[in-house]
Amino acid sequence: MSETMTGTGEPRMLPLPADEIRRRFLAFFAARGHEIVPSASLVPGGDQTLLFTNSGMVQFKDVLRGVETRSYRRAADSQRCLRVAGKHNDFEEVGRTPRHHTLFEMLGNWSFGDYFKREAIHWAWELLTEDLGIPAERLAATTYSDDEESRAIWRDEIGLPAERMAAWGDVDAGDDKNFWRMAETGPCGPCTEIHFDRGAHLSEGPECVPDHSEHCPRWLEIWNLVFMEFDQQPDGRRLPLPFKSVDTGMGLERLASVLQSVPTNYDTDLFLPIHARMRELLGHDPGDFEAERFSYQVIADHSRAITFLVADGILPANEGRGYVLRRIVRRAVRHGRLLGRREPFLAETADVVIGAMGDAYPVLRERREVILGTILREESAFARTLDAGTVQLEEALIPLTGAERVVGRSAETLPGDAPVLPGEIAFRLHDTYGFPIDLTVELAGEYGVRVDRAGFDAALSEQRERSRSGKKADLSRQAELTSLHDAIARRVGDTDFLGYETTAAEARIVAIVRDTTEYETLEARAEAELRAEAAAEATIVLDRTPFYAEGGGQIGDRGRLVDAATGETLFTVRDTQRPVGGLVLHSGLLHGRVRTGMTVRAEVDPDRRERTMRNHTGTHLLHRALRNVVGESARQAGSLVTPEGLRFDYPFDRPLSLDERRAIEAEVRRVIREDRPVLVSRMGMAEAVAAGADAFFDEKYGEQVRTVRVDGFSHELCGGTHCRASGQVGGFVIVGERSIGSGMRRIEALTGDGAEAWLGERLALLDEAVAAAGAQGADALPGRIAELHEKVRDLEKKLRAGGRAAAGPRPREVAAAASEIAGVPLAIHAAAFPSMDEAKAFAREIRDALPSGVVAVLLEDDEPQVFVTVSADLVARGLSAGELVRAAVEPLEGKGGGRPEMAQGKGTRKAGIPAAMDALRSRLAG
């Protein structure tokens, strides 16, 4: 492609706002027979292979693989996506480049075995050049190297000149250009990309051509049309998909930058309101913004990401999706501090996101209070973490240097022989406190200390490698199983589920699997081998089944498969799962000989099923009662339903009060006593939501959904098994309620005979407590316990007083005995404290009793330590705790330093403690 292939005049595009671009895109494809599908959640429903929805095709993955069908063959959507992990990970690039984001919107149109390359290319061209007004001469196209069909359409039908076309890519040789796949395995195919020419004046030379030079600013990829033809296998093979499909993706942010004629995505109307709010909070003018653009862009991007993540039910945590959210919040907070903002600000910028995008994504407005509250709590908690980490870091730095802290001093200005903070300490701060390494480097530099970055990087790499090696093995096996399950599903179709009506039925075996291999016939091995259970493990697929497959928080059924002719138990079912589409897998232990085509009787453990049903219906009752008592924001964020009990997670920022807990239990028990009918219906998803049925973010729902309604009380989308009436739940009791993370609580409860047994045990314990306390009956127990507590407190006070009297003076006595040196009160004490923390606590008590003065406490140990504080009025007069510590550590043959108001040091010579105390007095005397 030549430098002169297009003009460089101003574009003739319509300066459309992002909302109008989105509307026009969807309207264009709706007029061409496409179903407009709502954006899926950022949490991929029913997909364990992805942390987040990272492209528009995620919600259609099973359709593309031929294991799920929809009522439509053409679709279009605007999908919210997040790329912060895995194959598509843009996290470290965010803010540094004009285009990378964590969260973005992908406009897409789809064909599932309907139209293919010709229509996809023609419609893309028509939308861009006619509806949106992008000049044709400013567009170019690339194709996969051997995709002559697409190239011919561009050349012969669209009329694109040869100098604005290029062919790249050889996937077998490791060049993935113009070949797209969502992950290491799964649907994939060649693609054609449409690029916008931002002007020859931005060219950086002959290598600056579409899709060839990744960083050349002239060409901007705006639309990728993927032609899904293959299913990538774990062993490297690419098998044909059941039908050919089209999967296109166009970033709304990029398209907006083109149509609004701005240099970066961050200059579009999607980001400008966030920048403006941040400038207001900081008191910056536009010139300040340009000088600090990197941090502004990080904050704007991350504000959008955290807003949508919380809206989609993700809460901060130390693992999984919650940890990703926490990382994004912390990176944004770090950049806020770089801009000089120490007070919380992310809830303010998130509120701007809600205002700007709430019309397109109503969930933002619906969950506004939860979003802002969650973000404020997490940001405030991280501020405390930073403060705690700063204290830990300072304690590690002070013994390394005798220098005063100089705010603003850079590590880059330090001499080559400056002290070095070990990399493992920096990594521990990062790993334990989430303390950013760049903040560690900055603070260490102010103390005159370098950080061993190589050591830090090595520790971080080692941790990542440990995690990665385990994940790679898991992902490889998972990919093999997914491929096998897809093949079985395409061959045998969905398993007919009978479990709503019965717990036993005859069925035919249609597939048998052991490990990752499918068998026609499988027989139990010798009895000696069966003692090692792995030798008998297998998985069986039936054409129909009464076994419920795990889903919606309810665990899978257990039971057995019996020879229909002889009654012999052939297989014990230990778990039931649905890995893809409607395919049900029965996993367990083989006892006899099974073969495909064989008829068996499938029998679910009926008692286990009944107890599970009671707990599942009880979960629905608990959910509604909880929201009635504490508010509608306490929506289900996770649940586990087992025969033994139920677990329910919900967003809330405090423990339930005793009155709230009693009110919830009372309401659930009332509905149980009323024996209300439990009604099941099937309807369209939109109809169910309009009728008030609750849906949950991490579940995958089809076009037709099943709702479960406890008459006049609760109404939820649910595929689980339930009681026929609320009275069958029996008893109900909450046995636990606790925090499981920032802003997230968990309730554990029992129903039926489990609740009765638990209450019986508690009554027995109450009787034992009454007897042990010597109370006159259960009613008198609280008063008797209070009386005993008071006696214990009195005894503890006497013990502490006696212990201190034996060990040495109390802090107030040390303060009272303070001597005056050069007009400065000095309270000094040395003792063999159990730890330095104890010594510091002793010093703080002295300080409380001596508002003005110097407090010095020394730890008598083989490695003696000294801790000094100076009151604020004396600091104002020029006294420095750091200087006093440096005087004291010389006789101890150690190092120390710190701030004027507080400092500490550590030595190696215990015998030097008396001399250290004298040195402190001498320094004060001048």
Side-chain angles (χ1 to χ4, degrees):
M1 294 187 179
S2 69
E3 291 289 318
T4 58
M5 57 190 250
T6 70
T8 58
E10 287 300 309
R12 301 189 301 270
M13 283 85 73
L14 300 171
L16 298 174
D19 283 346
E20 178 63 13
I21 297 170
R22 186 192 301 112
R23 188 199 68 76
R24 289 194 180 202
F25 176 89
L26 296 176
F28 179 91
F29 283 102
R32 287 154 183 79
H34 290 65
E35 179 81 11
I36 304 304
V37 181
S39 171
S41 165
L42 288 175
V43 181
D47 190 336
Q48 301 303 312
T49 66
L50 289 172
L51 268 182
F52 298 105
T53 297
N54 61 10
S55 68
M57 68 94 69
V58 170
Q59 68 167 313
F60 300 117
K61 188 165 69 170
D62 286 347
V63 182
L64 294 166
R65 285 168 23 211
V67 295
E68 179 188 341
T69 58
R70 301 277 178 102
S71 62
Y72 49 83
R73 298 178 67 190
R74 298 179 179 185
D77 69 354
S78 179
Q79 174 65 50
R80 54 190 182 270
C81 303
L82 195 79
R83 292 187 177 176
V84 289
K87 180 176 183 289
H88 299 287
N89 183 356
D90 293 342
F91 189 57
E92 296 303 327
E93 295 301 312
V94 170
R96 303 180 190 279
T97 72
R99 315 290 172 198
H100 284 96
H101 303 290
T102 51
L103 180 118
F104 64 97
E105 284 187 78
M106 183 171 284
L107 306 173
N109 59 290
W110 312 82
S111 163
F112 309 118
D114 188 39
Y115 63 83
F116 203 44
K117 295 181 180 180
R118 173 167 287 102
E119 293 88 343
I121 292 172
H122 275 275
W123 284 337
W125 186 258
E126 182 182 347
L127 175 67
L128 293 176
T129 60
E130 296 182 20
D131 280 48
L132 300 179
I134 299 178
E137 65 271 16
R138 302 196 70 163
L139 297 175
T142 61
T143 58
Y144 190 61
S145 55
D146 64 1
D147 186 2
E148 182 54 38
E149 180 184 358
S150 294
R151 189 170 176 83
I153 294 170
W154 282 116
R155 181 186 62 236
D156 301 336
E157 300 179 27
I158 300 299
L160 202 63
E163 63 268 21
R164 281 194 279 124
M165 290 191 294
W168 310 106
D170 184 350
V171 68
D172 292 325
D175 182 358
D176 279 353
K177 288 186 176 63
N178 294 299
F179 194 93
W180 199 91
R181 45 190 165 192
M182 187 188 69
E184 298 302 324
T185 60
C188 59
C191 58
T192 181
E193 297 176 351
I194 302 174
H195 298 255
F196 175 72
D197 184 2
R198 299 178 62 228
H201 61 292
L202 295 174
S203 178
E204 294 183 347
E207 292 298 312
C208 186
V209 291
D211 203 33
H212 191 68
S213 177
E214 185 176 343
H215 302 291
C216 176
R218 175 177 179 177
W219 292 99
L220 178 65
E221 178 196 336
I222 56 174
W223 205 344
N224 189 7
L225 317 180
V226 182
F227 306 121
M228 291 291 190
E229 300 183 55
F230 306 108
D231 191 357
Q232 181 74 51
Q233 302 297 299
D235 60 8
R237 293 177 301 148
R238 285 187 294 280
L239 304 180
L241 287 168
F243 48 79
K244 294 179 179 180
S245 297
V246 171
D247 159 17
T248 86
M250 176 163 55
L252 176 61
E253 294 79 6
R254 290 193 178 201
L255 185 57
S257 76
V258 169
L259 292 171
Q260 294 173 20
S261 301
V262 293
T264 79
N265 296 0
Y266 292 99
D267 296 300
T268 67
D269 64 337
L270 290 164
F271 293 91
L272 290 177
I274 310 173
H275 298 328
R277 181 64 182 129
M278 199 64 200
R279 285 203 310 272
E280 288 175 11
L281 293 172
L282 293 166
H284 282 183
D285 58 31
D288 296 321
F289 169 78
E290 288 301 329
E292 302 288 354
R293 178 178 274 270
F294 174 35
S295 289
Y296 268 98
Q297 291 182 171
V298 169
I299 290 168
D301 173 274
H302 290 8
S303 296
R304 291 176 11 124
I306 62 178
T307 302
F308 274 91
L309 282 168
V310 177
D312 278 345
I314 307 299
L315 292 174
N318 288 327
E319 60 183 11
R321 297 182 178 106
Y323 181 62
V324 173
L325 170 58
R326 177 159 284 166
R327 281 183 65 206
I328 297 172
V329 168
R330 290 181 170 188
R331 188 166 186 250
V333 170
R334 169 61 181 146
H335 280 273
R337 291 199 169 204
L338 289 175
L339 292 173
R341 178 78 180 185
R342 300 189 68 84
E343 300 82 7
F345 63 90
L346 284 173
E348 297 283 347
T349 55
D351 206 17
V352 174
V353 176
I354 294 169
M357 304 189 74
D359 290 340
Y361 297 95
V363 68
L364 298 180
R365 297 195 195 280
E366 293 166 8
R367 306 206 72 210
R368 178 177 178 272
E369 289 186 14
V370 171
I371 293 167
L372 300 184
T374 299
I375 291 171
L376 179 60
R377 285 192 300 274
E378 178 65 11
E379 186 175 4
S380 300
F382 184 49
R384 293 191 295 272
T385 295
L386 284 177
D387 292 340
T390 299
V391 171
Q392 295 290 322
L393 178 57
E394 286 181 334
E395 289 186 355
L397 291 171
I398 288 171
L400 293 173
T401 177
E404 291 282 359
R405 179 182 178 187
V406 179
V407 176
R409 177 165 53 190
S410 170
E412 297 175 359
T413 66
L414 298 178
D417 61 350
V420 176
L421 181 75
E424 57 266 26
I425 294 178
F427 175 73
R428 187 167 65 247
L429 286 165
H430 164 83
D431 196 43
T432 304
Y433 292 94
F435 206 75
I437 182 61
D438 53 350
L439 187 56
T440 298
V441 171
E442 179 184 309
L443 191 58
E446 293 177 352
Y447 274 98
V449 176
R450 292 183 179 276
V451 175
D452 175 16
R453 282 301 301 266
F456 171 85
D457 291 339
L460 183 62
S461 296
E462 182 180 347
Q463 182 196 58
R464 287 175 173 170
E465 187 55 40
R466 285 195 303 268
S467 174
R468 190 180 297 119
S469 60
K471 287 179 180 177
K472 279 186 176 179
D474 291 344
L475 288 172
S476 176
R477 175 173 171 77
Q478 183 62 43
E480 282 190 77
L481 288 172
T482 298
S483 178
L484 177 61
H485 297 155
D486 283 353
I488 294 172
R490 287 196 291 266
R491 188 180 75 244
V492 306
D494 291 347
T495 307
D496 186 13
F497 178 58
L498 312 173
Y500 294 136
E501 294 81 28
T502 184
T503 56
E506 287 196 352
R508 184 169 53 87
I509 296 175
V510 294
I512 305 167
V513 174
R514 173 173 280 160
D515 295 327
T516 57
T517 304
E518 190 175 358
Y519 295 84
E520 286 290 324
T521 301
L522 201 58
E523 189 168 4
R525 300 176 184 177
E527 188 64 30
E529 292 185 14
L530 283 178
R531 293 194 189 105
E533 290 188 347
E537 289 177 353
T539 297
I540 290 177
V541 180
L542 304 174
D543 64 339
R544 59 189 204 144
T545 184
F547 284 81
Y548 178 82
E550 181 176 335
Q554 179 178 329
I555 66 170
D557 278 332
R558 292 182 177 181
R560 63 178 187 160
L561 303 184
V562 177
D563 188 320
T566 66
E568 175 193 1
T569 298
L570 300 173
F571 190 78
T572 299
V573 179
R574 289 188 159 187
D575 192 19
T576 312
Q577 296 286 332
R578 186 170 50 245
V580 59
L583 184 73
V584 175
L585 305 181
H586 308 77
S587 300
L589 299 180
L590 189 64
H591 302 290
R593 185 174 184 272
V594 293
R595 69 180 187 281
T596 55
M598 183 179 191
T599 298
V600 295
R601 181 169 176 80
E603 299 177 352
V604 174
D605 180 337
D607 180 64
R608 189 174 183 275
R609 165 72 79 80
E610 286 174 8
R611 287 185 282 123
T612 303
M613 289 164 60
R614 286 196 290 269
N615 285 323
H616 203 155
T617 303
T619 301
H620 285 217
L621 300 181
L622 167 63
H623 186 195
R624 176 36 57 195
L626 174 69
R627 295 172 75 182
N628 287 349
V629 171
V630 304
E632 289 297 319
S633 63
R635 293 173 56 87
Q636 178 177 321
S639 68
L640 177 64
V641 178
T642 72
E644 292 74 31
L646 66 95
R647 194 177 76 195
F648 185 89
D649 300 340
Y650 64 103
F652 208 52
D653 59 0
R654 61 172 177 81
L656 293 175
S657 69
L658 185 58
D659 286 345
E660 287 170 336
R661 184 164 161 168
R662 287 172 175 168
I664 292 165
E665 287 180 324
E667 185 159 354
V668 172
R669 290 169 184 163
R670 173 181 62 79
V671 176
I672 290 173
R673 289 194 303 272
E674 291 169 351
D675 196 25
R676 300 184 181 215
V678 176
L679 308 172
V680 175
S681 303
R682 289 192 176 275
M683 61 188 74
M685 177 69 176
E687 181 186 356
V689 172
D694 291 319
F696 307 108
F697 295 112
D698 58 350
E699 290 299 316
K700 182 177 181 179
Y701 300 108
E703 294 176 87
Q704 292 293 309
V705 296
R706 181 176 183 263
T707 68
V708 175
R709 181 161 54 91
V710 179
D711 195 26
F713 188 68
S714 70
H715 192 191
E716 297 186 12
L717 272 64
C718 184
T721 58
H722 284 271
C723 303
R724 292 186 301 277
S726 62
Q728 293 179 341
V729 174
F732 177 85
V733 61
I734 294 174
V735 299
E737 195 270 343
R738 60 190 174 90
S739 170
I740 57 170
S742 176
M744 181 69 77
R745 309 291 299 179
R746 172 171 290 170
I747 291 175
E748 293 171 332
L750 302 173
T751 66
D753 54 358
E756 292 171 6
W758 187 88
L759 289 169
E761 291 169 2
R762 290 306 178 276
L763 287 173
L765 284 173
L766 178 61
D767 290 341
E768 292 178 17
V770 168
Q776 299 300 310
D779 291 343
L781 184 61
R784 178 59 177 159
I785 290 173
E787 179 185 332
L788 291 172
H789 273 168
E790 188 61 33
K791 288 183 178 180
V792 169
R793 280 194 293 270
D794 289 343
L795 289 171
E796 286 176 342
K797 286 180 182 178
K798 292 175 182 178
L799 283 171
R800 281 197 298 270
R804 279 186 171 169
R810 300 175 184 177
R812 288 189 174 276
E813 293 170 347
V814 174
S819 58
E820 190 168 296
I821 300 175
V824 175
L826 170 65
I828 187 166
H829 181 66
F833 294 98
S835 69
M836 196 58 193
D837 286 341
E838 293 272 354
K840 290 179 179 179
F842 193 88
R844 283 193 290 271
E845 289 191 50
I846 298 174
R847 164 63 57 232
D848 291 341
L850 187 70
S852 175
V854 174
V855 176
V857 174
L858 291 89
L859 171 65
E860 295 176 344
D861 189 75
D862 290 338
E863 293 184 341
Q865 297 188 55
V866 58
F867 179 70
V868 175
T869 69
V870 177
S871 58
D873 61 314
L874 296 178
V875 170
R877 286 168 49 184
L879 276 182
S880 169
E883 290 180 4
L884 293 171
V885 164
R886 281 191 288 278
V889 293
E890 285 187 18
L892 301 177
E893 297 180 2
K895 290 183 178 181
R899 302 190 298 273
E901 66 274 13
M902 183 182 72
Q904 74 179 79
K906 188 174 185 180
T908 58
R909 183 170 171 267
K910 183 178 181 181
I913 289 177
M917 297 171 77
D918 289 340
L920 275 165
R921 296 185 184 101
S922 298
R923 178 55 63 94
L924 269 180

